[in-house]
């Protein structure tokens, strides 16, 4: 009996395994080739269809042309160092990732301001109260209150607020007051009563809401003489307007450099724009610190009754947005840059509103502010960011291996690299198709020609995107990690632009009041003397709703995100993460300040 040698049998098994592996490799290669072909074909078809409808998916078309150095903001002294960052870089430390800051930000470190400020160690006397019998002679320098008068509490609160002076919540979260606490002149009050009230009864005249909780808390103590009391303020860390201005004057020469640089018409950063993920970006930390400091300085000048100086700071804050808007083309525009632009303009209009609500602006400043407000329109920049986003994402996905694309600014792990090696390029193209298609949907909510937005279209686009991404697929991976929550950005943009439009009208209303002693019955009375053209409601395009109220003030509002006239009811509320829910009620101009 002949037996096949073991070596021959082993060779046959090995040969069969090798043939099987070769067949498997061929099959895998065919499948990869088919996936790559199908993906590339799907992308080319999608790109042609979208471009036929007006979409631009070629990243090179968003690269800004060079501009002359002597006309470029970023080529002015120090501007490039202060306000430009190269491609997103993160410096790794043993415990965390940190972004570096530069000299201007370090100079304006508000932690230093807090460390320098020492609040009074002892409470400040804000009122001295003497109890007298009814109909006693109170003297000319004292204010007389009757203990049995229901209006006594309100009048007592007014006296305390007059003693402490006006105050305002600052842009950095500080609270500013018009004069230092050690300069307070206590109110002198005579309280007439049939019998001497108790400490608790006197304290009831000065409840917790008598003054802003940002200033401090009140308490009542017996005075040095019989039938007398002292109203004491236990202050929180607050800053007088002069205190903050003196501290922030250290940056005044730098602000002058920025003013001079902003006279240049262009704002183009040098860098490599050929790769979207490598383009230079503005230094958002620096922009935020400078903007908040200028806003706080404007508030302090308004508290001190110096509107001209407040306007100068606000004008620089207004002009600061130009470095974010990439003149002359507005390209390339990232959504982050566009939303920082929205935030800075929102801060600016809030400072304008602060002065309007306190009657701090006079005719010349109101005219200047109207002109500045007329030029604010962030919606086109947000639209441009949306329009560029598909080209940005798709070009990055084409150039980078998947593991690098998924970890820009971070450190990829080995599982990410292995998945990337096994990832067919056709799947990347299928992802690009989904990104390009999905990111067209929010654009339908903008009507730039008529200067309106359509909340319902934004909401519908968001629902469609979320529904599509709700079902997992390797074709949806890139879209799932790159497409942001558009709705929040759109709401913030629309709300801030509405405040801008309302502020233009309120400046005109205030000018009318200064000229005529009252507000007009209708807004038509403002045209053309006090405003050239009335801004319309960004939501729906109809006129903003206005009516004069019986107390001599007015109500001005937009119908808001719900596109419904709720009669001027502002029911916006805080969200769990500290933001504002703009979806409810009307967007009402708050006037006057409480």
């Amino acid at each position: 009996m002949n037996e096949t040698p073991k070596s021959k049998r082993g060779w046959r098994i090995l040969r069969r395994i090798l043939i099987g592996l070769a067949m498997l490799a061929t099959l895998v290669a065919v499948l990869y080739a088919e996936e790559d072909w199908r993906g590339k074909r799907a992308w080319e078809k999608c790109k042609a269809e979208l471009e036929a409808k007006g979409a631009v998916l070629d990243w090179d078309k968003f690269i800004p042309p060079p501009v002359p150095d002597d006309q470029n903001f970023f080529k002015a002294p120090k501007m490039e160092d202060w306000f430009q960052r190269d491609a997103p870089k993160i410096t790794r430390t043993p415990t965390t990732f940190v972004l570096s800051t530069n000299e201007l930000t370090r100079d304006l470190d508000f932690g230093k301001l807090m460390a320098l400020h020492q609040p009074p160690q002892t409470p400040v006397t804000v009122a001295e109260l003497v109890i007298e019998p009814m109909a006693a002679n109170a003297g000319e320098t004292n204010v007389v209150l009757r203990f049995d008068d229901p209006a006594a509490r309100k009048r007592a609160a007014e006296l305390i607020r007059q003693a402490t002076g006006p105050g305002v919540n600052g842009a950095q979260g500080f609270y500013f007051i018009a004069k230092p606490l050690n300069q307070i002149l206590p109110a002198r009050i005579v309280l007439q009563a049939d019998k001497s009230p108790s400490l608790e009864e006197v304290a009831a005249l000065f409840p917790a809401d008598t003054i802003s909780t940002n200033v401090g808390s009140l308490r009542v103590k017996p005075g040095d003489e019989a039938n007398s009391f002292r109203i004491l303020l236990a202050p929180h860390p607050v800053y007088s307007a002069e205190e903050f201005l003196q501290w922030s004057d250290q940056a005044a020469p730098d602000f002058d450099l920025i003013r001079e640089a902003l006279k240049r018409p262009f704002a183009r950063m040098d860098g490599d724009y050929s790769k979207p993920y490598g383009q230079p970006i503005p230094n958002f930390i620096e922009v935020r610190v400078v903007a908040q400091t200028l806003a706080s300085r404007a508030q302090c000048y308004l508290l001190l009754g110096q509107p001209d100086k407040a306007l100068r700071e606000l004008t620089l804050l207004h002009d600061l947005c130009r470095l974010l808007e990439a003149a002359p083309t507005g390209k390339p525009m990232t959504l982050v840059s566009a939303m920082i632009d929205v935030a800075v303009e929102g801060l600016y209009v809030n400072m304008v509103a602060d002065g309007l609500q306190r009657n701090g602006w006079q005719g010349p400043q109101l005219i200047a502010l109207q002109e500045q407000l007329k030029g604010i329109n962030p919606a086109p920049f947000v639209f441009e960011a949306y329009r560029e986003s598909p080209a940005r994402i798709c070009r990055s996905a084409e150039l980078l291996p998947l593991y690098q694309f998924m970890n820009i600014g971070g450190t990829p792990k080995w599982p990410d690299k292995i998945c990337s090696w096994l990832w067919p390029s056709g799947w990347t193209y299928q992802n690009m198709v989904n990104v390009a298609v999905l990111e067209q949907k929010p654009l339908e909510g903008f009507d730039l020609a008529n200067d309106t937005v359509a909340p319902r279209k934004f909401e519908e686009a968001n629902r469609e995107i979320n529904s599509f991404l709700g079902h997992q697929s390797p074709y949806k991976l890139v879209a799932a990690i790159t497409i942001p929550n558009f709705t929040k950005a759109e709401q913030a943009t629309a709300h801030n632009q509405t405040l801008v439009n309302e502020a233009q009208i309120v400046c005109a209303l205030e000018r009318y009041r200064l000229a005529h002693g009252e507000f007009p019955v209708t807004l038509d009375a403002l045209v053309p003397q006090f405003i050239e053209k009335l801004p319309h409601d960004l939501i729906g395009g109809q006129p903003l709703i206005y009516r004069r109220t019986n107390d001599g003030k007015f109500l001005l509002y937009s119908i808001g995100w719900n596109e419904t006239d709720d009669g001027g009811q502002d029911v916006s509320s805080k969200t769990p993460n500290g933001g504002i829910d703009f979806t409810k009620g009307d967007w009402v101009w708050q006037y006057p300040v409480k």
Side-chain angles (χ1 to χ4, degrees):
M1 181 176 180
N2 295 328
E3 292 184 1
T4 304
K6 289 183 179 180
S7 60
K8 289 184 178 181
R9 187 165 59 248
W11 166 247
R12 288 174 183 172
I13 293 172
L14 178 60
R15 185 174 61 179
R16 289 171 183 169
I17 292 173
L18 292 174
I19 293 172
L21 290 174
M23 293 175 64
L24 179 61
T26 302
L27 179 61
V28 169
V30 170
L31 290 175
Y32 267 71
E34 182 182 1
E35 280 298 304
D36 293 347
W37 177 81
R38 289 175 65 247
K40 185 68 178 294
R41 184 169 178 270
W43 167 242
E44 290 174 348
K45 180 182 177 182
C46 170
K47 184 177 180 181
E49 291 175 350
L50 291 178
E51 289 181 338
K53 296 178 181 178
V56 180
L57 298 175
D58 182 356
W59 173 250
D60 289 343
K61 293 183 178 179
F62 295 113
I63 296 177
V67 298
D69 283 357
D70 62 351
Q71 298 183 48
N72 188 357
F73 168 86
F74 287 100
K75 291 301 181 181
K78 293 193 175 184
M79 296 306 109
E80 194 170 45
D81 293 337
W82 287 350
F83 293 110
Q84 178 175 332
R85 292 187 60 83
D86 293 329
K89 291 180 181 178
I90 297 180
T91 305
R92 193 172 185 178
T93 69
T95 58
T96 187
F97 294 101
V98 295
L99 287 169
S100 61
T101 57
N102 63 42
E103 60 187 74
L104 180 54
T105 303
R106 288 194 295 271
D107 288 343
L108 294 173
D109 182 354
F110 296 103
K112 294 179 182 177
L113 174 62
M114 297 176 71
L116 288 172
H117 183 266
Q118 296 295 326
Q121 299 299 310
T122 57
V124 178
T125 301
V126 294
E128 295 172 347
L129 189 69
V130 177
I131 309 300
E132 296 283 358
M134 292 291 190
N137 184 7
E140 295 181 358
T141 61
N142 298 324
V143 176
V144 180
L145 302 178
R146 291 175 59 94
F147 184 70
D148 59 356
D149 184 357
R153 175 187 288 190
K154 181 178 179 181
R155 180 59 178 145
E158 290 174 355
L159 294 169
I160 297 298
R161 287 194 286 268
Q162 288 173 9
T164 57
V168 62
N169 285 310
Q172 289 95 358
F174 305 127
Y175 193 83
F176 298 128
I177 53 178
K179 56 186 177 183
L181 291 175
N182 58 11
Q183 295 181 13
I184 287 178
L185 295 177
R188 299 184 180 278
I189 304 172
V190 170
L191 185 65
Q192 294 185 334
D194 290 328
K195 62 176 183 177
S196 183
S198 66
L199 184 68
E200 291 75 16
E201 288 174 322
V202 173
L205 286 174
F206 305 95
D209 60 354
T210 297
I211 60 172
S212 170
T213 55
N214 293 297
V215 179
S217 56
L218 297 177
R219 69 173 184 264
V220 179
K221 290 186 65 175
D224 298 331
E225 300 177 2
N227 291 327
S228 68
F229 297 88
R230 293 168 61 206
I231 316 304
L232 302 176
L233 169 66
H236 295 162
V238 295
Y239 300 83
S240 72
E242 287 186 357
E243 212 173 14
F244 182 82
L245 288 170
Q246 289 174 3
W247 176 82
S248 58
D249 275 346
Q250 64 182 305
D254 296 329
F255 293 155
D256 288 338
L257 278 179
I258 298 171
R259 285 188 180 91
E260 188 64 27
L262 284 168
K263 294 178 181 178
R264 302 186 178 197
F266 303 140
R268 184 193 187 277
M269 294 177 283
D270 278 348
D272 182 5
Y273 289 89
S274 63
K275 301 178 180 64
Y277 50 85
Q279 74 170 78
I281 59 174
N283 188 329
F284 301 123
I285 295 175
E286 199 74 13
V287 171
R288 181 190 67 194
V289 171
V290 172
Q292 290 179 341
T293 306
L294 290 169
S296 294
R297 286 174 63 83
Q299 288 177 303
C300 290
Y301 280 126
L302 283 171
L303 282 173
L304 295 175
Q306 302 176 35
D308 283 337
K309 291 183 177 180
L311 175 62
R312 186 169 188 264
E313 303 302 271
L314 279 194
T315 299
L316 180 53
L317 173 58
H318 168 272
D319 295 345
L320 193 67
C321 289
R322 287 189 45 244
L323 71 91
L324 297 166
E325 294 170 356
T329 62
K331 301 174 183 177
M333 180 60 59
T334 66
L335 185 56
V336 176
S337 289
M339 294 315 299
I340 296 294
D341 186 44
V342 169
V344 173
E345 288 170 343
L347 178 62
Y348 166 83
V349 75
N350 282 331
M351 297 305 102
V352 173
D354 188 65
L356 284 165
Q357 291 163 349
R358 299 171 188 277
N359 297 321
W361 304 117
Q362 299 302 312
Q365 298 96 37
L366 291 168
I367 293 172
L369 291 170
Q370 270 184 266
E371 191 63 26
Q372 292 176 8
L373 289 161
K374 187 169 64 174
I376 295 177
N377 187 12
F381 297 104
V382 177
F383 177 88
E384 182 63 22
Y386 286 0
R387 194 171 74 96
E388 291 180 17
S389 183
R392 181 187 306 279
I393 295 171
C394 293
R395 183 58 177 158
S396 298
E398 271 188 308
L399 293 174
L400 291 172
L402 182 66
Y403 73 89
Q404 290 184 350
F405 180 85
M406 302 284 284
N407 291 278
I408 293 177
T411 304
K413 299 178 181 179
W414 274 106
D416 297 329
K417 293 184 178 181
I418 293 172
C419 290
S420 180
W421 292 334
L422 298 175
W423 182 268
S425 63
W427 289 7
T428 295
Y429 285 113
Q430 295 285 10
N431 273 270
M432 291 161 58
V433 168
N434 287 328
V435 167
V437 171
L438 292 176
E439 293 220 25
Q440 303 305 311
K441 297 183 182 298
L443 297 176
E444 299 173 3
F446 292 93
D447 184 351
L448 298 184
N450 293 308
D451 195 23
T452 62
V453 296
R456 292 181 187 177
K457 290 186 178 181
F458 288 134
E459 298 286 357
E460 289 171 5
N462 202 46
R463 283 194 295 269
E464 289 180 26
I465 292 172
N466 289 337
S467 175
F468 180 81
L469 296 179
H471 304 283
Q472 293 185 352
S473 164
Y475 293 174
K476 303 177 184 179
L477 180 63
V478 172
I481 66 171
T482 57
I483 296 181
N485 185 335
F486 289 115
T487 304
K488 298 300 181 184
E490 291 142 4
Q491 288 174 358
T493 302
H495 182 262
N496 283 6
Q497 182 62 49
T498 296
L499 290 181
V500 167
N501 292 349
E502 291 176 347
Q504 289 186 64
I505 293 174
V506 177
C507 285
L509 285 169
E510 185 65 10
R511 289 173 60 202
Y512 184 99
R513 185 190 67 82
L514 291 172
H516 297 281
E518 62 179 358
F519 294 115
V521 176
T522 69
L523 294 180
D524 292 337
L526 301 175
V527 181
Q529 182 179 358
F530 299 100
I531 192 169
E532 181 180 348
K533 180 182 178 182
L534 290 170
H536 59 247
D537 194 340
L538 195 68
I539 310 294
Q542 297 300 309
L544 288 161
I545 299 169
Y546 166 86
R547 59 177 175 267
R548 192 169 63 179
T549 55
N550 294 332
D551 58 359
K553 299 169 186 174
F554 63 82
L555 183 66
L556 177 67
Y557 64 92
S558 157
I559 60 175
W561 195 257
N562 63 6
E563 301 182 75
T564 302
D565 184 352
D566 294 303
Q569 295 296 313
D570 182 1
V571 293
S572 59
S573 59
K574 292 286 185 180
T575 60
N577 61 2
I580 300 177
D581 181 1
F582 293 120
T583 62
K584 301 173 184 176
D586 300 321
W587 292 347
V588 184
W589 180 266
Q590 297 299 320
Y591 187 93
V593 71
K594 296 180 180 179

